[in-house]
Amino acid sequence: ASLVAQQKPTELDGLSSVKGELPMPAEGRFRRLFGDRRQGQIRWTGVIIEGNEGSQINAVYQGRVLYADWLKGFGLVTILDHGDGFMSVYGHSQALLTQLGDTVSAGQTIGLVGRSGGQASPNLYFEIRHKGKALNPSAWLKWR
């Protein structure tokens, strides 16, 4: 295999085989848990990890950058496609370190923790989705 091929992650095979084993996307503590009431009938579809401003946001698994830009209400956001309908979402970033179409490896730094999108304190907003449906990140991350 050529050197270029060796540097690329293997095919994007989804997250099913790594459930409960994914590393935390940032250092910090959970502030909001999936399913908690946000306001009215709206519930959280992800978690917030309170962290230090400018600290690293890392890809939880290999993937391809689907989105890396401003998203109203979520600030600077990176969305990774992991294949098989799985995506991970990283919001409230201070800076984005990838661009649309980039291939990233597990653990690669893809952004910096911030307070974009009107946050009072620096944090990472994190979601895992499968075929558009939000999954509880607590079941996928190795955080306990």
Side-chain angles (χ1 to χ4, degrees):
S2 72
L3 193 58
V4 173
Q6 289 173 348
Q7 290 174 341
K8 290 203 187 255
T10 54
E11 64 187 273
L12 301 180
D13 53 1
L15 299 176
S16 298
S17 64
V18 290
K19 186 171 184 177
E21 298 300 314
L22 295 173
M24 288 283 283
E27 284 189 22
R29 68 180 185 89
F30 276 143
R31 183 158 63 97
R32 291 261 194 241
L33 293 176
F34 179 86
D36 284 356
R37 201 175 290 278
R38 194 169 171 176
Q39 66 191 104
Q41 293 303 306
I42 300 170
R43 295 190 177 273
W44 287 95
T45 53
V47 294
I48 283 181
I49 300 167
E50 287 184 329
N52 295 320
E53 196 144 10
S55 61
Q56 295 179 337
I57 298 170
N58 301 318
V60 294
Y61 198 64
Q62 65 196 23
R64 187 171 296 112
V65 179
L66 270 185
Y67 188 86
D69 208 339
W70 186 268
L71 193 61
K72 187 171 169 36
F74 295 94
L76 290 170
V77 173
T78 301
I79 301 176
L80 299 181
D81 174 7
H82 301 290
D84 194 31
F86 285 95
M87 298 186 313
S88 55
V89 180
Y90 310 76
H92 301 161
S93 304
Q94 177 187 86
L96 303 178
L97 304 179
T98 62
Q99 296 179 332
L100 181 67
D102 285 356
T103 301
V104 301
S105 52
Q108 181 176 330
T109 302
I110 58 172
L112 302 177
V113 171
R115 33 176 114 205
S116 64
Q119 298 304 298
S121 59
N123 68 72
L124 168 65
Y125 177 76
F126 178 74
E127 278 187 12
I128 293 179
R129 292 184 167 264
H130 185 240
K131 298 182 176 167
K133 182 180 186 297
L135 305 175
N136 187 344
S138 303
W140 293 81
L141 296 171
K142 194 173 185 175
W143 62 283
R144 308 189 231 328

